[in-house]
Amino acid sequence: MKRLVLAGAGHAHLHVLRALGEAPWPGVEVVLVTPYPRQIYSGMVPGWIAGHYRLDECVAPVLPLAGAAGVRVVGDAVCALDANRGHVTLADGGSIEFDVLSLDTGARLALGAGLANHPGLLPVRPLESFVEKWTQVLPMLLDDDNARVAVIGGGAAGVELALAVAYRLRRETGVTAPRVMLACGGGLLPGHAPGVVRRARAALAGQGVELVEQRVRADGSALETEAGVPLAADWVIAATGVGPPDWLAQSGLTLAPDAFIAVGRGQQSVSHANVFAAGDVASRIDAPHAKSGVYAVRAGPVLTGNLQRALAGRPLEPYRPQRRSLYLLAAGPREAIVSWGAFSASGRLAWRWKDWIDRRFMRRYQCPGKR
Ligand SMILES: Cc1cc2nc3c(=O)[nH]c(=O)nc-3n(C[C@H](O)[C@H](O)[C@H](O)COP(=O)(O)OP(=O)(O)OC[C@H]3O[C@@H](n4cnc5c(N)ncnc54)[C@H](O)[C@@H]3O)c2cc1C
């Protein structure tokens, strides 16, 4: 009997679990290490914040999926990996040996200057903690019309969150005075076409979000621009970009220049043939691409096939990630902004498209029998 260890219940591993539920792999014991019994789907979180979804609509329940797949679940987090000796260490001190390891643990949030000490900090990762904190903070924001929110980070997540928060507060309190700012010193939606940026600016202005196009830092509870201009914010949502998990550096795996796991054409580690990685924790060295959920989802089927092949000692199949991907950015109300290379569009139809794609994706894991 060979042992496959799945670390993390990220997007690609949801696919592996579903495939195992449909047809078990004979002679393979599968162990899933996951700190949470569910996987929150980030693509629907801005819609949840805006009030369009209930939380349960944005969640894939991992335990039933694993149960149907005959997978043993260890409710813990990997905190160290020895790729040469073939074992992972868990936060509770235990360890698990593997014949084949697959990592889909996502990335950690790379926090900006001094932000870690801000008393009102709401880091977007881990998503579980963010969702829990936001659930506590929202009633306070609804009770106090003067409380203000700063969202730090001009990437897709920062823009979507700023729009969602502003829309929700306006809708529920009726207060139209600006209460949300978006700080994007690294630029607004870098990597997206000018038309997308223009549409995002219009949406942000429409929801009364103040744009601060400068880097910001925090000293205790004081938030200010790099130039020293104070910014009023009681709560700070940090969507400041991603970094690799701390435990990768000592894992023995070859890392890519960005310090994530270097993987090749079959999502296989370039240094260890029995280690695979997908999603944000991996970097394709032959075909670099953005760290986004789209790529994590797309890697699921190829990862599934190649894990099976590796366990059976068969040659792997290569996989070429798409060169550009479609982004549908939630824009506050039931509207979205489409970003596809140089093409942009926005409006209610785009939201309906996004909603359809997201709900269909979630149905696959909430009701595993459905396609
Ligand atoms: C608010 C927000 C909105 C976003 N919207 C979009 C979008 O619309 N489209 C898009 O493409 N991307 C979006 N992204 C980016 C997207 O969330 C990530 O790129 C995506 O989640 C990466 O998927 P993953 O499978 O690599 O990891 P994750 O989704 O982060 O999943 C990793 C899993 O591993 C678990 N885990 C973490 N550490 C450990 C450990 N040490 N041991 C065991 N398990 C562990 C976690 O609990 C989690 O279940 C958004 C991000 C945010 C924050």
Side-chain angles (χ1 to χ4, degrees), residues 142-169:
L142 295 178
D143 268 1
D144 178 0
D145 291 346
N146 295 316
R148 292 177 57 98
V149 180
V151 180
I152 318 285
V159 170
E160 288 187 295
L161 290 172
L163 286 166
V165 173
Y167 170 75
R168 180 77 179 264
L169 295 185

Side-chain angles (χ1 to χ4, degrees), residues 22-371:
E22 286 171 358
W25 303 349
V28 182
E29 179 203 7
V30 186
V31 181
L32 170 70
V33 182
T34 173
Y36 306 107
R38 62 183 188 178
Q39 168 76 353
I40 299 172
Y41 178 42
S42 59
M44 289 172 82
V45 166
W48 169 68
I49 288 183
H52 307 318
Y53 299 121
R54 298 186 315 271
L55 187 57
D56 64 285
E57 293 178 295
C58 317
V59 160
V62 172
L63 298 187
L65 267 180
V71 169
R72 177 158 70 90
V73 177
V74 176
D76 207 336
V78 169
C79 68
L81 159 63
D82 188 334
N84 295 324
R85 294 206 173 125
H87 65 80
V88 292
T89 305
L90 307 178
D92 77 355
S95 76
I96 308 178
E97 293 186 358
F98 58 81
D99 296 294
V100 173
L101 171 68
S102 180
L103 295 146
D104 184 11
T105 53
R108 70 172 169 79
L109 187 74
L111 268 181
L115 286 178
N117 299 323
H118 193 284
L121 183 69
L122 304 168
V124 294
R125 293 191 177 284
L127 214 42
E128 275 285 346
S129 319
F130 175 68
V131 162
E132 193 187 319
K133 284 188 183 155
W134 178 253
T135 307
Q136 293 159 6
V137 168
L138 178 62
M140 295 189 242
L141 283 166
L142 295 178
D143 268 1
D144 178 0
D145 291 346
N146 295 316
R148 292 177 57 98
V149 180
V151 180
I152 318 285
V159 170
E160 288 187 295
L161 290 172
L163 286 166
V165 173
Y167 170 75
R168 180 77 179 264
L169 295 185
R170 281 184 157 201
R171 202 196 61 187
E172 294 212 12
T173 63
V175 175
T176 52
R179 295 179 64 190
V180 180
M181 91 181 59
L182 175 64
C184 52
L188 185 65
L189 292 175
H192 291 267
V196 177
V197 177
R198 207 175 47 247
R199 288 172 196 275
R201 278 187 194 279
L204 290 161
Q207 293 303 325
V209 176
E210 288 178 334
L211 259 189
V212 177
E213 299 190 58
Q214 292 179 56
R215 294 195 185 280
V216 299
R217 61 185 175 216
D219 185 1
S221 61
L223 193 69
E224 59 179 26
T225 67
E226 259 183 348
V229 179
L231 301 168
D234 304 279
W235 303 102
V236 176
I237 296 178
T240 37
V242 294
D246 298 334
W247 43 268
L248 273 189
Q250 304 298 324
S251 65
L253 293 174
T254 294
L255 304 182
D258 60 8
F260 289 91
I261 302 169
V263 296
R265 299 189 313 157
Q267 299 299 131
Q268 184 184 41
S269 152
V270 296
S271 58
H272 291 71
N274 64 337
V275 177
F276 291 74
D280 284 359
V281 77
S283 285
R284 281 284 295 258
I285 50 168
D286 57 322
H289 56 72
K291 299 226 174 281
S292 82
V294 177
Y295 290 100
V297 170
R298 289 290 174 100
V302 67
L303 178 72
T304 305
N306 280 340
L307 289 174
Q308 261 183 302
R309 291 182 192 100
L311 285 156
R314 287 188 280 124
L316 305 186
E317 281 206 350
Y319 153 69
R320 177 118 205 128
Q322 61 206 96
R323 253 183 296 154
R324 60 177 175 213
S325 54
L326 171 72
Y327 290 91
L328 294 163
L329 308 176
R334 285 188 164 86
E335 292 173 14
I337 300 170
V338 184
S339 171
W340 169 250
F343 175 78
S344 70
S346 51
R348 285 164 172 242
L349 207 59
W351 167 266
R352 285 172 62 183
W353 189 18
K354 174 174 169 55
D355 179 58
W356 180 78
I357 292 174
D358 287 344
R359 285 184 189 271
R360 187 185 58 158
F361 175 73
M362 289 314 286
R363 258 198 315 274
R364 279 192 213 147
Y365 305 108
Q366 291 167 335
C367 323
K370 291 205 173 134
R371 294 255 146 212

